[in-house]
Coordinates of all heavy atoms in Angstrom, one line a residue:
M847 N 115.1 -0.1 138.7 CA 113.9 -1.0 138.4 C 112.7 -0.4 139.3 O 112.9 -0.1 140.4 CB 114.2 -2.4 138.8 CG 113.1 -3.3 138.5 SD 113.7 -4.5 137.3 CE 112.4 -5.7 137.4
T848 N 111.6 -0.4 138.6 CA 110.4 0.1 139.3 C 109.7 -1.0 140.0 O 109.7 -2.2 139.6 CB 109.4 0.8 138.3 OG1 109.1 -0.1 137.3 CG2 110.1 2.0 137.7
T849 N 109.0 -0.7 141.1 CA 108.3 -1.7 141.8 C 106.8 -1.7 141.4 O 106.4 -0.8 140.7 CB 108.4 -1.4 143.3 OG1 107.7 -0.2 143.6 CG2 109.8 -1.4 143.8
I850 N 106.1 -2.7 141.9 CA 104.7 -2.8 141.5 C 103.9 -1.6 142.1 O 103.0 -1.0 141.4 CB 104.1 -4.1 142.1 CG1 104.8 -5.3 141.5 CG2 102.6 -4.2 141.9 CD1 104.5 -5.6 140.1
K851 N 104.2 -1.2 143.3 CA 103.5 0.0 143.9 C 103.8 1.3 143.1 O 102.8 2.1 142.9 CB 104.0 0.2 145.3 CG 103.5 -0.9 146.3 CD 104.0 -0.7 147.7 CE 103.5 -1.8 148.6 NZ 104.0 -1.7 150.0
E852 N 105.0 1.5 142.6 CA 105.2 2.6 141.8 C 104.5 2.6 140.5 O 104.0 3.6 140.0 CB 106.7 2.7 141.5 CG 107.6 3.1 142.7 CD 109.0 3.0 142.4 OE1 109.4 2.6 141.3 OE2 109.8 3.4 143.3
L853 N 104.4 1.4 139.9 CA 103.6 1.2 138.6 C 102.1 1.5 138.8 O 101.5 2.0 138.0 CB 103.9 -0.2 138.0 CG 105.3 -0.4 137.5 CD1 105.4 -1.9 137.1 CD2 105.6 0.5 136.3
N854 N 101.6 1.0 139.9 CA 100.2 1.2 140.2 C 99.8 2.7 140.4 O 98.7 3.1 140.2 CB 99.8 0.4 141.5 CG 99.7 -1.1 141.2 OD1 99.6 -1.5 140.0 ND2 99.9 -1.8 142.2
K855 N 100.8 3.5 140.8 CA 100.5 4.9 141.0 C 100.5 5.7 139.7 O 99.9 6.8 139.6 CB 101.6 5.6 141.9 CG 101.4 5.1 143.4 CD 102.5 5.7 144.2 CE 102.5 5.2 145.6 NZ 103.6 5.7 146.5
K856 N 101.0 5.2 138.6 CA 101.1 5.9 137.4 C 99.8 5.9 136.7 O 99.0 5.0 136.8 CB 102.2 5.3 136.5 CG 103.6 5.4 137.0 CD 104.6 5.0 136.0 CE 105.9 5.1 136.7 NZ 106.9 5.8 135.9
K857 N 99.5 7.0 135.9 CA 98.2 7.1 135.2 C 98.3 6.4 133.9 O 97.2 6.1 133.3 CB 98.0 8.6 135.0 CG 97.9 9.4 136.3 CD 96.6 9.9 136.6 CE 96.6 10.7 137.9 NZ 95.4 11.0 138.4
V858 N 99.4 6.2 133.3 CA 99.5 5.5 132.0 C 99.5 4.0 132.1 O 100.2 3.5 132.9 CB 100.9 6.0 131.3 CG1 101.0 5.3 130.0 CG2 101.0 7.5 131.2
P859 N 98.6 3.4 131.4 CA 98.5 1.9 131.5 C 99.7 1.3 130.9 O 100.3 1.8 129.9 CB 97.2 1.6 130.7 CG 97.0 2.7 129.8 CD 97.6 3.9 130.5
I860 N 100.1 0.1 131.4 CA 101.2 -0.6 130.8 C 100.7 -1.7 130.0 O 99.9 -2.5 130.5 CB 102.1 -1.1 132.0 CG1 102.7 0.1 132.7 CG2 103.3 -2.0 131.4 CD1 103.4 -0.3 134.0
V861 N 101.1 -1.8 128.8 CA 100.6 -2.9 127.9 C 101.8 -3.7 127.4 O 102.8 -3.2 127.0 CB 99.9 -2.2 126.6 CG1 99.5 -3.3 125.7 CG2 98.8 -1.3 127.1
R862 N 101.6 -5.0 127.4 CA 102.7 -5.9 127.0 C 102.1 -6.6 125.8 O 101.0 -7.3 125.9 CB 103.0 -6.9 128.0 CG 104.1 -7.9 127.6 CD 104.3 -8.9 128.7 NE 105.7 -8.8 129.0 CZ 106.3 -9.4 130.0 NH1 105.6 -10.2 130.8 NH2 107.6 -9.4 130.2
I863 N 102.7 -6.6 124.6 CA 102.2 -7.2 123.4 C 103.0 -8.5 123.2 O 104.2 -8.5 123.2 CB 102.4 -6.3 122.2 CG1 101.6 -5.0 122.4 CG2 102.0 -7.0 120.9 CD1 101.8 -3.9 121.4
D864 N 102.2 -9.6 123.1 CA 102.8 -10.9 122.9 C 103.3 -11.1 121.5 O 102.5 -10.9 120.5 CB 101.8 -11.9 123.2 CG 102.3 -13.3 123.3 OD1 103.6 -13.5 123.2 OD2 101.5 -14.3 123.6
K865 N 104.5 -11.3 121.3 CA 105.1 -11.5 119.9 C 104.6 -12.7 119.2 O 104.7 -12.8 118.0 CB 106.7 -11.6 120.0 CG 107.3 -10.4 120.7 CD 107.3 -9.2 119.7 CE 108.0 -8.0 120.4 NZ 108.0 -6.9 119.6
S866 N 104.0 -13.7 119.9 CA 103.5 -14.9 119.2 C 102.3 -14.6 118.4 O 101.9 -15.4 117.6 CB 103.3 -16.0 120.2 OG 102.2 -15.6 121.0
L867 N 101.7 -13.4 118.6 CA 100.5 -13.1 117.8 C 100.8 -12.6 116.4 O 99.9 -12.4 115.6 CB 99.7 -12.0 118.6 CG 99.1 -12.4 119.9 CD1 98.4 -11.3 120.6 CD2 98.1 -13.6 119.7
N868 N 102.1 -12.3 116.2 CA 102.5 -11.9 114.8 C 102.2 -12.9 113.7 O 102.1 -12.5 112.6 CB 104.0 -11.6 114.8 CG 104.3 -10.3 115.6 OD1 103.4 -9.5 115.8 ND2 105.5 -10.2 116.0
K869 N 102.0 -14.1 114.1 CA 101.7 -15.1 113.1 C 100.3 -14.9 112.4 O 100.0 -15.4 111.4 CB 101.7 -16.5 113.6 CG 100.7 -16.8 114.7 CD 100.9 -18.2 115.3 CE 99.9 -18.4 116.5 NZ 100.1 -19.7 117.1
Y870 N 99.5 -14.0 113.0 CA 98.1 -13.7 112.5 C 98.1 -12.5 111.7 O 97.0 -12.0 111.3 CB 97.1 -13.6 113.7 CG 96.9 -14.9 114.4 CD1 97.4 -15.0 115.8 CD2 96.4 -16.0 113.9 CE1 97.2 -16.1 116.5 CE2 96.2 -17.2 114.6 CZ 96.6 -17.2 115.9 OH 96.5 -18.4 116.6
N871 N 99.3 -11.9 111.4 CA 99.3 -10.6 110.7 C 98.7 -10.7 109.3 O 98.0 -9.8 108.8 CB 100.7 -10.1 110.5 CG 101.2 -9.4 111.8 OD1 100.4 -9.1 112.7 ND2 102.5 -9.2 111.9
D872 N 99.0 -11.8 108.5 CA 98.5 -11.9 107.2 C 97.4 -12.9 107.0 O 97.1 -13.3 105.9 CB 99.7 -12.4 106.3 CG 100.8 -11.3 106.3 OD1 100.5 -10.1 106.3 OD2 102.0 -11.7 106.2
V873 N 96.7 -13.3 108.1 CA 95.7 -14.3 108.1 C 94.3 -13.6 108.3 O 94.2 -12.8 109.2 CB 95.9 -15.3 109.2 CG1 94.7 -16.3 109.2 CG2 97.2 -16.0 109.0
V874 N 93.4 -13.8 107.4 CA 92.0 -13.3 107.6 C 91.3 -14.3 108.5 O 91.0 -15.4 108.1 CB 91.3 -13.2 106.2 CG1 89.9 -12.7 106.4 CG2 92.1 -12.2 105.3
L875 N 90.9 -13.9 109.7 CA 90.3 -14.8 110.7 C 88.8 -15.0 110.4 O 88.3 -16.0 110.7 CB 90.6 -14.2 112.1 CG 92.0 -14.2 112.5 CD1 92.2 -13.6 113.9 CD2 92.7 -15.5 112.5
F876 N 88.1 -14.0 109.9 CA 86.7 -14.1 109.7 C 86.4 -13.6 108.2 O 85.9 -12.5 108.0 CB 86.0 -13.2 110.7 CG 86.3 -13.5 112.1 CD1 87.2 -12.7 112.8 CD2 85.7 -14.6 112.7 CE1 87.4 -13.0 114.1 CE2 86.0 -14.8 114.1 CZ 86.9 -14.1 114.8
P877 N 86.6 -14.5 107.3 CA 86.5 -14.1 105.9 C 85.0 -13.8 105.5 O 84.8 -12.9 104.7 CB 87.0 -15.3 105.1 CG 87.0 -16.5 106.0 CD 87.1 -15.9 107.4
D878 N 84.1 -14.5 106.1 CA 82.6 -14.2 105.8 C 82.2 -12.8 106.3 O 81.5 -12.1 105.6 CB 81.7 -15.3 106.4 CG 82.0 -15.5 107.9 OD1 83.1 -15.2 108.4 OD2 81.0 -15.9 108.6
K879 N 82.7 -12.4 107.4 CA 82.4 -11.0 107.9 C 83.1 -10.0 107.1 O 82.6 -8.9 106.9 CB 82.8 -10.9 109.4 CG 81.9 -11.8 110.3 CD 82.0 -11.4 111.7 CE 81.2 -12.4 112.5 NZ 80.1 -11.9 113.1
V880 N 84.3 -10.3 106.7 CA 85.1 -9.3 105.8 C 84.3 -9.1 104.5 O 84.2 -8.0 104.0 CB 86.5 -9.8 105.6 CG1 87.2 -8.9 104.6 CG2 87.3 -9.7 106.9
E881 N 83.9 -10.2 103.9 CA 83.1 -10.2 102.7 C 81.8 -9.4 102.8 O 81.5 -8.6 102.0 CB 82.8 -11.6 102.1 CG 82.1 -11.6 100.8 CD 82.9 -10.8 99.7 OE1 84.1 -10.9 99.7 OE2 82.2 -10.2 98.9
K882 N 81.1 -9.6 103.9 CA 79.9 -8.9 104.2 C 80.1 -7.4 104.4 O 79.4 -6.5 103.8 CB 79.2 -9.4 105.5 CG 77.9 -8.8 105.8 CD 77.3 -9.5 107.0 CE 75.9 -8.9 107.3 NZ 75.3 -9.5 108.5
A883 N 81.2 -7.0 105.1 CA 81.6 -5.6 105.3 C 81.9 -5.0 103.9 O 81.6 -3.8 103.7 CB 82.7 -5.5 106.3
N884 N 82.7 -5.7 103.1 CA 83.1 -5.1 101.8 C 81.8 -4.9 100.9 O 81.8 -3.9 100.2 CB 84.1 -6.1 101.1 CG 85.5 -5.9 101.7 OD1 85.8 -4.9 102.3 ND2 86.2 -7.0 101.6
E885 N 80.9 -5.8 101.0 CA 79.7 -5.7 100.2 C 78.9 -4.5 100.7 O 78.3 -3.7 99.8 CB 78.8 -7.0 100.3 CG 77.6 -6.9 99.5 CD 77.8 -6.9 98.0 OE1 78.8 -7.4 97.5 OE2 77.0 -6.3 97.3
M886 N 78.8 -4.3 102.0 CA 78.1 -3.1 102.5 C 78.8 -1.8 102.0 O 78.1 -0.8 101.7 CB 78.0 -3.2 104.0 CG 77.0 -4.2 104.5 SD 77.0 -4.3 106.3 CE 76.2 -2.7 106.6
L887 N 80.1 -1.8 102.0 CA 80.8 -0.6 101.6 C 80.6 -0.3 100.1 O 80.5 0.8 99.7 CB 82.3 -0.7 101.9 CG 82.7 -0.6 103.4 CD1 84.2 -0.9 103.6 CD2 82.4 0.8 103.8
R888 N 80.5 -1.4 99.3 CA 80.3 -1.2 97.9 C 78.9 -0.7 97.6 O 78.7 0.2 96.8 CB 80.4 -2.6 97.2 CG 81.8 -2.8 96.6 CD 81.8 -4.0 95.7 NE 81.7 -5.0 96.5 CZ 82.3 -6.1 97.0 NH1 82.9 -6.5 96.7 NH2 82.3 -7.0 97.8
T889 N 77.9 -1.1 98.4 CA 76.5 -0.7 98.1 C 76.2 0.6 98.8 O 75.6 1.5 98.2 CB 75.5 -1.8 98.5 OG1 75.7 -2.1 99.9 CG2 75.7 -3.0 97.7
I890 N 76.5 0.7 100.0 CA 76.1 1.9 100.8 C 77.2 3.0 100.7 O 76.9 4.2 100.6 CB 75.8 1.5 102.2 CG1 74.7 0.5 102.3 CG2 75.5 2.7 103.1 CD1 74.5 -0.1 103.6
G891 N 78.4 2.6 100.9 CA 79.5 3.6 100.9 C 79.8 4.0 102.4 O 79.2 3.7 103.3
L892 N 80.8 4.9 102.4 CA 81.2 5.4 103.7 C 80.3 6.6 104.1 O 79.8 7.3 103.2 CB 82.6 5.9 103.7 CG 83.7 4.9 103.5 CD1 85.1 5.5 103.3 CD2 83.7 4.0 104.8
P893 N 80.1 6.8 105.4 CA 79.2 7.9 105.8 C 79.9 9.3 105.5 O 81.1 9.4 105.5 CB 79.0 7.7 107.3 CG 80.1 6.9 107.7 CD 80.5 6.0 106.5
K894 N 79.1 10.2 105.2 CA 79.6 11.6 104.9 C 80.0 12.3 106.2 O 79.3 12.2 107.2 CB 78.6 12.4 104.1 CG 78.0 11.8 102.9 CD 79.0 12.0 101.7 CE 78.4 11.6 100.5 NZ 78.8 10.3 100.0
L895 N 81.1 13.0 106.1 CA 81.5 13.7 107.3 C 80.9 15.1 107.2 O 81.1 15.8 106.2 CB 83.1 13.9 107.4 CG 83.8 12.6 107.7 CD1 85.3 12.8 107.6 CD2 83.4 12.1 109.0
T896 N 80.2 15.5 108.2 CA 79.6 16.9 108.2 C 80.1 17.6 109.5 O 80.4 17.0 110.5 CB 78.1 16.8 108.2 OG1 77.7 16.1 109.4 CG2 77.6 16.1 107.0
T897 N 80.2 18.9 109.4 CA 80.5 19.7 110.5 C 79.3 20.4 111.0 O 78.5 20.9 110.1 CB 81.7 20.7 110.2 OG1 81.2 21.5 109.1 CG2 82.9 19.9 109.8
K898 N 79.1 20.5 112.2 CA 77.9 21.2 112.8 C 78.3 22.7 112.9 O 79.4 23.0 113.5 CB 77.5 20.7 114.1 CG 77.0 19.2 114.0 CD 76.6 18.8 115.4 CE 76.0 17.3 115.2 NZ 75.6 16.8 116.6
K899 N 77.4 23.6 112.5 CA 77.6 25.0 112.7 C 76.9 25.4 114.0 O 75.7 25.1 114.1 CB 77.0 25.8 111.5 CG 77.8 25.5 110.2 CD 77.3 26.4 109.1 CE 78.0 26.1 107.8 NZ 77.5 26.8 106.7
H900 N 77.6 26.0 114.8 CA 77.0 26.4 116.1 C 76.4 27.8 115.9 O 77.1 28.8 115.5 CB 78.0 26.5 117.2 CG 78.6 25.1 117.5 ND1 77.8 24.1 118.0 CD2 79.8 24.6 117.4 CE1 78.6 23.0 118.2 NE2 79.8 23.3 117.8
S901 N 75.1 27.9 116.1 CA 74.5 29.3 116.1 C 74.3 29.8 117.5 O 74.0 29.1 118.4 CB 73.2 29.2 115.3 OG 72.3 28.3 116.1
R902 N 74.5 31.1 117.6 CA 74.4 31.7 118.9 C 73.4 32.8 118.9 O 73.0 33.5 118.1 CB 75.7 32.3 119.3 CG 76.7 31.3 119.6 CD 78.0 31.9 120.2 NE 78.9 30.8 120.4 CZ 80.0 30.9 121.2 NH1 80.2 32.0 121.8 NH2 80.8 29.9 121.3

């Protein structure tokens, strides 16, 4: 078993996911914001991906 001091020395963060949050998997929490975002995607669309050419 690792101690708190050993965990604090590690560079990788430790994340604990609470299983009780699974009840929100299929629930839309902000339907008005989702509708607004969908409308923007319908009218404007996704941004175009461009690559920059480096000139020397």
Side-chain angles (χ1 to χ4, degrees):
M847 180 120 168
T848 58
T849 64
I850 300 289
K851 289 181 182 179
E852 291 172 356
L853 291 174
N854 287 339
K855 289 180 185 177
K856 295 190 182 231
K857 303 248 180 193
V858 179
I860 298 170
V861 179
R862 179 183 239 176
I863 299 174
D864 191 2
K865 300 287 184 185
S866 68
L867 296 175
N868 288 338
K869 63 183 174 184
Y870 297 112
N871 280 347
D872 297 325
V873 177
V874 178
L875 297 177
F876 304 101
D878 52 334
K879 294 195 183 251
V880 171
E881 182 58 38
K882 184 177 178 182
N884 285 336
E885 182 63 31
M886 288 179 69
L887 286 173
R888 266 190 287 248
T889 57
I890 299 170
L892 292 173
K894 304 278 190 258
L895 292 178
T896 59
T897 58
K898 293 182 180 178
K899 294 181 181 179
H900 297 295
S901 61
R902 291 184 182 200

